């Protein structure tokens, strides 16, 4: 009897302990897998680089003068429309005309001397051939002739230069266009030295502008001629202008240095020219533009989110009763019919990091799985439950709070 009582007591302790452990763990949580899907459809895939630049006329000519003098008359002003050959300014002619007259007199004297020495040489040559004059006399005649010819040629060149300088006093427009800059006023003296002074800047057709963008060296590798570009200017913040990359200049356009953390470094950029049609003349020369160049740009292509190409049905994303029909292929998209997951091998094209072009392998309108999310089913208790108190408790363990006397000490 005593042995039987001990056995019954041990069984009771085990049952009570097991019940406490089950209560502590709580009932096992049930999970639900939610599948996110999308429809294979056509869309736009693009990738771009940004840059800043300046609006400039396609053709821009700086009009200067090659002679020094005083500006006598100016016939145009800012925004004046001019045609090729039109008179736009005149310089004071007095000095230039005096120089021309002086050179003309020198030329006339040199010409007379040359003609006289030429005749004298011909006579001396004939006499020398008949041995009627000495070699010294003949050589002197030849020397005088050559010297007179040299002086005549020199005076001829000086006269031509004086005539050309006088023609420079009349300043005409080299192209059809609009005056966008005037750097002189009437009565101002201009000096032509090593550099030709700029008097006017004339832009050709302002309805056809261009943007010269400074593209960073890290982005220039993806830029090519013919790529689409958009840009905005602060003058018209709500307008977006369209253009096309027309030229990539090979020379770097930056020689400026930027200082960061007390260290100097050179920022290298390259000039990229973008066409900028300007039919309504909104774009003004020298406006600053914020440019976006689409290095990757396809419209109306079949595409899917990139994450759909990374999905693969495996535990715990599927249940034990689910069926997986896999296939060969580097890239796959998955569809689900009932409890069956079906793989579709696809050929991919370009990607911008968010979406990928699908060249072949799946039809437009197909619903595919993009990702799976594991969550707890609503209504299920997944939190731990505290064990019920049974029998005696240790005097060292704190007791539960007294629900009826919470403020009682």
């Amino acid at each position: 009897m005593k042995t039987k009582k001990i056995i019954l007591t041990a069984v009771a302790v085990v049952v009570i302990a097991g019940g406490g452990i089950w209560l502590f763990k709580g009932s096992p949580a049930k999970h639900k897998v939610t599948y996110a899907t999308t429809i294979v459809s056509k869309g736009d895939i693009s990738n771009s680089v940004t840059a800043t630049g300046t609006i400039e006329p396609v053709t821009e000519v700086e009009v200067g003068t090659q002679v020094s003098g005083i500006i006598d008359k100016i016939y145009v002003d800012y925004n004046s429309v001019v045609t090729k050959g039109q008179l736009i300014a005149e310089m004071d002619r007095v000095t230039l005309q005096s120089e021309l007259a002086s050179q003309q007199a020198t030329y006339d004297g040199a010409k007379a001397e040359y003609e006289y020495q030429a005749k004298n040489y011909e006579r001396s040559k004939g006499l020398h051939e008949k041995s009627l004059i000495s070699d010294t006399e003949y050589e002197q005649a030849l020397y005088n002739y050559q010297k007179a010819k040299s002086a005549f040629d020199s005076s001829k060149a000086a006269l031509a230069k004086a005539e050309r300088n006088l023609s420079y006093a009349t300043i005409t427009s080299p192209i059809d266009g609009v005056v966008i800059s005037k750097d002189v006023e009437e009565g101002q003296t201009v000096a032509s030295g090593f550099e030709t002074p700029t008097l006017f800047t004339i832009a050709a057709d302002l309805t056809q502008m261009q943007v010269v963008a400074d593209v960073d060296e890290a982005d220039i590798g993806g830029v090519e001629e013919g790529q689409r570009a958009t840009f905005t200017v602060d003058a018209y913040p709500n307008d977006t202008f369209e253009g096309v990359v027309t030229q990539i200049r090979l020379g770097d356009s930056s020689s400026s240095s930027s200082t960061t953390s007390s260290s100097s470094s050179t920022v290298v950029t390259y000039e990229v020219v973008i066409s900028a049609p300007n039919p309504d003349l909104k774009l003004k020369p020298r406006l600053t533009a914020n440019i976006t160049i689409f290095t990757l740009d396809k419209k109306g292509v079949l595409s899917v989110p990139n994450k759909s190409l990374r999905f693969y049905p495996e535990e715990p994303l599927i249940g034990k009763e689910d069926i997986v029909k896999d296939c060969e292929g580097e890239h796959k998209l998955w569809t689900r019919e009932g409890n069956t997951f079906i793989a579709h091998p696809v050929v991919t094209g370009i990607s911008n990091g968010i979406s990928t072009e699908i060249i072949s392998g799946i039809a437009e309108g197909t619903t595919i799985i993009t990702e799976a999310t594991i969550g707890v089913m609503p209504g299920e208790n997944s939190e731990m439950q505290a064990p019920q108190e049974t029998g005696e408790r240790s005097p060292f363990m704190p007791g539960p709070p007294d629900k009826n006397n919470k403020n009682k000490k």
Side-chain angles (χ1 to χ4, degrees):
M1 289 295 294
K2 189 176 181 179
T3 302
K4 185 176 180 181
K5 185 176 181 181
I6 293 172
I7 293 172
L8 291 175
T9 302
V11 171
V13 170
V14 171
V15 171
I16 292 171
I21 294 172
W22 183 84
L23 288 173
F24 181 77
K25 289 185 176 181
S27 59
K30 294 183 180 180
H31 297 86
K32 179 181 179 181
V33 180
T34 303
Y35 298 100
T37 60
T38 189
I39 297 176
V40 179
S41 60
K42 290 183 178 181
D44 301 339
I45 299 179
S46 63
N47 201 2
S48 62
V49 299
T50 58
T52 58
T54 306
I55 307 294
E56 295 182 1
V58 175
T59 303
E60 185 177 353
V61 179
E62 293 181 348
V63 181
T65 176
Q66 292 188 350
V67 294
S68 300
I70 299 174
I71 301 297
D72 190 25
K73 296 288 184 181
I74 294 179
Y75 299 102
V76 294
D77 203 347
Y78 288 96
N79 303 332
S80 295
V81 178
V82 296
T83 57
K84 185 177 181 180
Q86 178 181 335
L87 179 64
I88 58 178
E90 286 184 307
M91 298 185 66
D92 181 45
R93 295 170 174 267
V94 175
T95 303
L96 297 174
Q97 287 173 340
S98 298
E99 180 66 22
L100 177 61
S102 176
Q103 293 299 332
Q104 182 68 52
T106 303
Y107 170 80
D108 293 340
K111 180 180 180 181
E113 179 67 16
Y114 167 70
E115 291 175 349
Y116 168 75
Q117 293 296 341
K119 293 177 180 179
N120 187 49
Y121 168 70
E122 290 297 331
R123 285 193 299 267
S124 298
K125 183 179 180 182
L127 294 173
H128 183 262
E129 290 175 352
K130 297 177 180 180
S131 301
L132 297 176
I133 60 173
S134 64
D135 292 342
T136 302
E137 292 174 322
Y138 170 74
E139 291 172 358
Q140 182 65 40
L142 176 61
Y143 167 75
N144 292 336
Y145 165 72
Q146 292 176 338
K147 185 176 179 181
K149 184 178 184 303
S150 177
F152 174 65
D153 292 340
S154 178
S155 65
K156 185 190 294 185
L159 178 60
K161 181 179 179 182
E163 290 174 345
R164 178 60 63 89
N165 286 343
L166 182 59
S167 69
Y168 288 150
T170 302
I171 302 170
T172 59
S173 174
I175 59 172
D176 297 338
V178 179
V179 177
I180 62 175
S181 174
K182 186 184 75 168
D183 301 323
V184 292
E185 298 293 341
E186 290 183 359
Q188 182 175 339
T189 300
V190 293
S192 177
F194 293 103
E195 294 184 4
T196 301
T198 300
L199 308 182
F200 306 94
T201 302
I202 300 177
D205 184 7
L206 293 184
T207 62
Q208 296 296 327
M209 304 288 277
Q210 65 184 11
V211 184
V212 180
D214 294 329
V215 178
D216 190 86
E217 61 178 327
D219 300 326
I220 195 64
V223 179
E224 298 177 356
E225 292 185 9
Q227 290 175 341
R228 183 173 69 93
T230 61
F231 62 93
T232 59
V233 294
D234 292 340
Y236 306 100
N238 297 324
D239 293 344
T240 300
F241 301 91
E242 296 277 345
V244 176
V245 176
T246 59
Q247 185 184 52
I248 302 172
R249 296 175 179 172
L250 299 180
D252 68 277
S253 62
S254 60
S255 56
S256 59
S257 299
S258 60
T259 304
T260 304
S261 302
S262 301
S263 62
S264 179
S265 60
T266 301
V267 179
V268 179
T269 58
Y270 292 85
E271 288 186 345
V272 175
V273 181
I274 300 165
S275 64
N278 188 32
D280 50 6
L281 300 179
K282 282 187 174 182
L283 299 175
K284 308 294 190 294
R286 311 295 179 262
L287 285 178
T288 299
N290 300 308
I291 306 110
T292 301
I293 301 173
F294 293 91
T295 57
L296 187 66
D297 189 25
K298 280 193 174 183
K299 296 183 178 295
V301 297
L302 210 62
S303 61
V304 296
N306 283 2
K307 57 186 177 181
S308 62
L309 293 167
R310 297 191 293 267
F311 172 79
Y312 187 83
E314 58 184 354
E315 292 185 357
L317 301 181
I318 61 174
K320 294 182 179 180
E321 297 181 356
D322 291 333
I323 301 172
V324 177
K325 292 185 177 181
D326 204 347
C327 65
E328 297 293 331
E330 182 180 359
H331 302 289
K332 305 172 187 177
L333 294 174
W334 293 85
T335 58
R336 186 185 185 195
E337 297 179 5
N339 65 337
T340 303
F341 294 86
I342 304 172
H344 302 266
V346 293
V347 178
T348 60
I350 62 174
S351 175
N352 62 356
I354 300 174
S355 301
T356 298
E357 177 190 10
I358 301 300
I359 298 176
S360 63
I362 200 164
E364 181 180 0
T366 305
T367 301
I368 60 172
I369 302 173
T370 58
E371 60 181 341
T373 304
I374 302 176
V376 179
M377 291 183 64
E380 295 295 335
N381 181 17
S382 60
E383 297 182 359
M384 294 185 295
Q385 300 179 6
Q388 300 288 337
E389 282 197 322
T390 58
E392 297 182 358
R393 58 182 291 105
S394 169
F396 301 101
M397 294 180 62
D402 189 353
K403 296 180 180 180
N404 298 324
N405 301 288
K406 292 184 179 180
N407 299 324
K408 185 179 179 180
K409 295 184 180 179

